[in-house]
Amino acid sequence: GVVALAVGAVVLRRYGPRYRVGRLLAATPIIPIGEARLLAGVPARFIGIRGRVDAQDEFEDDAHRPLVLRRARVQVRDGADWMTVDEHRQAVAFEVREGLDGIAIDTAALDDGLVVVVRESVGTAADVPDRVPEGTAPDTPVRLRIEQVSSVEHAIVLGVPVFDDDVAGGVLLTAGLGRPLVLTTLERDEAMRVLTEGGTHRPLIAAIALASG
């Protein structure tokens, strides 16, 4: 039993921060935005909200979609994992709204908790020599991953509501209580598939191992 539990834990740890994000998405309660606003200023509580993304100053991507956040990362293969070697982020202040209620999102706190459909292209270091570390072998696998949030989408956001006079509405949803800020424009099941990168074998192995343990 101990061995089975250990195997399950090791398999899940291979997902790194994505495993923790998945657990938060599965377990955090979603509450109305109006109720979330009332929780600012009381003992910190990690909650989830759902609503429409809204911003005053969107910017456009190549397809003229109105965006509030765009992150492009160049990653090189490092053994069985990928290592980020170059990142470019563009973002504007935005809220998630539900009816007349809205709450600002701390874009600076979004890191591993951003879960969206990823646009990806794959090549080698020889294709982007100026964007990989000096000395990288030309045949090293490289991928470009682009993640975007549009103002025409709806989102689920998990975090801690706090007072902030510098944002619209005076309340900001951010990371806290040792947990990351999480934002996804997908339904929870779809977000889980993105977090596992479409793989089903490792989660199944982990589930069987944990159940057996």
Side-chain angles (χ1 to χ4, degrees), residues 171-207:
V171 178
L172 181 73
L173 198 64
T174 187
L177 299 176
R179 298 167 184 170
L181 179 66
V182 177
L183 184 151
T184 181
T185 54
L186 308 170
E187 292 301 321
R188 294 197 198 200
D189 290 345
E190 295 174 310
M192 296 300 183
R193 285 193 288 272
V194 169
L195 288 168
T196 59
E197 297 185 338
T200 58
H201 292 89
R202 280 196 290 174
L204 181 60
I205 291 171

Side-chain angles (χ1 to χ4, degrees), residues 4 20 33 49 89 94 98 108 144 208:
R20 191 180 190 197
I33 290 178
I49 61 170
R89 178 194 292 248
F94 71 92
E98 182 183 45
L144 171 64
I208 292 174

Side-chain angles (χ1 to χ4, degrees), residues 88-111:
H88 179 265
R89 178 194 292 248
Q90 184 177 3
V92 297
F94 71 92
E95 296 179 297
V96 170
R97 302 195 63 83
E98 182 183 45
L100 297 177
D101 294 318
I103 191 167
I105 307 301
D106 186 1
T107 58
L110 278 173
D111 190 13

Side-chain angles (χ1 to χ4, degrees), residues 20-168:
R20 191 180 190 197
V21 171
R23 286 186 60 188
L24 291 173
L25 278 171
T28 305
I30 303 295
I31 65 175
I33 290 178
E35 183 178 332
R37 290 181 56 84
L38 295 176
L39 294 176
V42 302
R45 180 180 169 190
F46 193 85
I47 52 86
I49 61 170
R50 182 196 299 265
R52 175 178 53 84
V53 176
D54 185 50
Q56 296 294 323
D57 302 307
E58 303 102 330
F59 58 96
E60 293 186 344
D61 65 1
D62 296 338
H64 303 293
R65 285 175 291 227
L67 304 181
V68 297
L69 175 67
R70 183 180 188 272
R71 182 171 68 184
R73 293 186 291 180
V74 176
Q75 299 178 322
V76 299
R77 173 72 77 176
D78 182 21
D81 298 317
W82 291 91
M83 178 176 63
T84 299
V85 295
D86 185 58
E87 178 173 328
H88 179 265
R89 178 194 292 248
Q90 184 177 3
V92 297
F94 71 92
E95 296 179 297
V96 170
R97 302 195 63 83
E98 182 183 45
L100 297 177
D101 294 318
I103 191 167
I105 307 301
D106 186 1
T107 58
L110 278 173
D111 190 13
D112 294 318
L114 180 61
V115 186
V116 297
V117 174
V118 180
R119 298 163 60 191
E120 182 177 303
S121 57
V122 180
T124 64
D127 299 322
V128 285
D130 58 328
R131 301 188 68 180
V132 297
E134 185 177 349
T136 302
D139 59 347
T140 301
V142 173
R143 67 182 184 182
L144 171 64
R145 291 169 63 86
I146 297 175
E147 299 156 298
Q148 301 183 155
V149 178
S150 169
S151 62
V152 299
E153 296 180 295
H154 284 69
I156 296 172
V157 192
L158 316 179
V160 177
V162 298
F163 285 125
D164 189 331
D165 293 334
D166 295 328
V167 301

